[in-house]
Amino acid sequence: MPESSRARTATRLADIPPTIFAEMSALAVRTGALNLGQGFPDADGPPEVVAAVERALASGRNQYAPGRGVPELRRAVAAHQQRHYALELDPDTQVAVTTGATEGVAAAMLGLVEPGDEVVVLEPWYDSYPAMLQVAGGVARPVTLRAPDFRIDLDELRAAVTPRTRFVLLNSPHNPTGTVLTRTELEAVAALAIEHDLVVITDEVYEHLVFTGHEHVPIATLPGMAQRTLTISSVGKSFSFTGWKVGWVSGPPALVDAVVAAKQWLTFTSGAPLQPAVAVALDEHDDWPAALARDLQERRDLLCAGLAAAGLPAVSLPQGTYFATSDVSTLGWDDGDAFCRALPDRAGVVAVPTQGFYAAPDAPGAGRHLVRWAFCKQRDVISAAVERLAGADLTA
Ligand code: PMP
Ligand code: GLN
């Protein structure tokens, strides 16, 4: 059927490549390779929480939920922030439920960013940030976390702020580098935000996936920051339910209102039977994410030892999240994307190239040759993958 020449993607999205995570998972399915690419666990979260969805489905929670989310989930989110971080939130005005953190990010961009506003953002970034910033008409001002230690260069951070800057978009624990921002780094961001009257939008979906010796500090807990910070999180990573797509935002009422203003036209409301179950997860399974983090730490070590044995040592030991990064230039590759596309054939394994998460992947210290491995997979999958890598010819 010949299609109309007008049947095409609008320019605001047309130049953005399709998300690499889906592309790499499709490659894994097509080739039968072990998937250490897309970040989703291959084991589910607490069965009691799954049972809570089944109860909700069977007891008539099947019509539209309130736009801001069901009251018990908003209360559970507020109680979680109180319990873990001593943040006091009014569940009616300072919390809203979103369709995953992804909608939280999108609605924050659409609801808050004016065309031309500059947004200081860490790179490498989560791919939805630049996409939604572009849709909103905002301008990204990247601050690069450079290998091998992936820290914020505070001078660069300060230099990224101009009179047009209105926002800082943070992500800690950080995907893909595994960096957990320190209190000192966050204090520097906070000082800058207060000095220039910036709003901080912080994606904390990996808030509980932090390893020994590191601590997640929500920037909203720093003095003067609760009133200028929008925090985004989700059930996906903390409870291994990435397919549920239930997230939330919290912060001062004006910021939450702006998210809801956009959210109502995106999805109107999020999945009704999932929300009471997520409240059960937060209220009744508070220890589950910490146990997951302990387990993930062992899997991190298993993966990193195997990568080192295969000649692809992790650039740095991940402090949080479930991702590790290797530099494939050690094996003669100057392009991580080419490496990842060859990897299923060479070794029967899939990883994600991170070069697409940089504004300028060839800039000094950027990521043309970096690839990311997910260790949220079962131990036998990780072991089999690193065995395959060790047995393959991986040179360029
Ligand atoms: N932010 C980051 C940093 C992520 O890694 C992800 C992927 N889970 C998301 C947001 C999206 O979260 P969700 O699946 O809840 O939309
Ligand atoms: N957050 C996950 C990752 O970084 C995947 C999310 C997605 O596929 N959009 O791999």
Side-chain angles (χ1 to χ4, degrees), residues 40 44-54 56-57 73 97-101 234-237 239-248 270-282:
F40 63 89
D44 284 345
E48 299 87 345
V49 178
V50 174
V53 182
E54 290 168 352
L57 284 166
L73 178 52
V97 175
T98 56
T99 302
S234 147
V235 76
K237 308 292 166 165
F239 286 92
S240 295
F241 290 125
T242 61
W244 288 16
K245 302 298 298 182
V246 176
W248 48 85
S270 301
L274 296 171
Q275 294 187 44
V278 175
V280 168
L282 293 174

Side-chain angles (χ1 to χ4, degrees), residues 99-102 126 129 171 175 203 205-206 234 237 242 245-246:
T99 302
T102 305
Y126 186 56
Y129 305 167
N171 169 218
N175 178 9
D203 176 345
V205 295
Y206 299 99
S234 147
K237 308 292 166 165
T242 61
K245 302 298 298 182
V246 176

Side-chain angles (χ1 to χ4, degrees), residues 134-288:
Q134 173 165 322
V135 170
V139 179
R141 290 272 164 217
V143 172
T144 309
L145 306 181
R146 291 194 176 78
D149 55 353
F150 298 119
R151 306 309 319 174
I152 298 185
D153 179 324
L154 296 180
D155 291 330
E156 270 180 49
L157 175 73
R158 281 186 279 270
V161 176
T162 78
R164 299 173 73 93
T165 308
R166 283 192 56 215
F167 301 92
V168 180
L169 176 49
L170 282 188
N171 169 218
S172 181
H174 183 261
N175 178 9
T177 64
T179 290
V180 177
L181 296 182
T182 61
R183 190 175 287 277
T184 308
E185 286 168 316
L186 292 164
E187 280 169 353
V189 176
L192 206 59
I194 290 167
E195 181 188 340
H196 296 273
D197 194 18
L198 311 177
V199 164
V200 174
I201 301 168
T202 175
D203 176 345
E204 302 186 357
V205 295
Y206 299 99
E207 60 188 310
H208 294 298
L209 307 186
V210 174
F211 308 130
T212 307
H214 304 281
E215 181 199 10
H216 170 59
V217 178
I219 193 166
T221 61
L222 300 186
M225 291 308 292
Q227 55 268 50
R228 59 174 68 252
T229 300
L230 181 77
T231 304
I232 300 173
S233 195
S234 147
V235 76
K237 308 292 166 165
S238 297
F239 286 92
S240 295
F241 290 125
T242 61
W244 288 16
K245 302 298 298 182
V246 176
W248 48 85
V249 299
S250 60
L255 293 179
V256 173
D257 284 352
V259 169
V260 171
K263 187 229 155 64
Q264 67 184 327
W265 307 122
L266 290 170
T267 53
F268 175 49
T269 169
S270 301
L274 296 171
Q275 294 187 44
V278 175
V280 168
L282 293 174
D283 286 340
E284 297 174 23
H285 299 274
D286 198 36
D287 294 340
W288 201 90

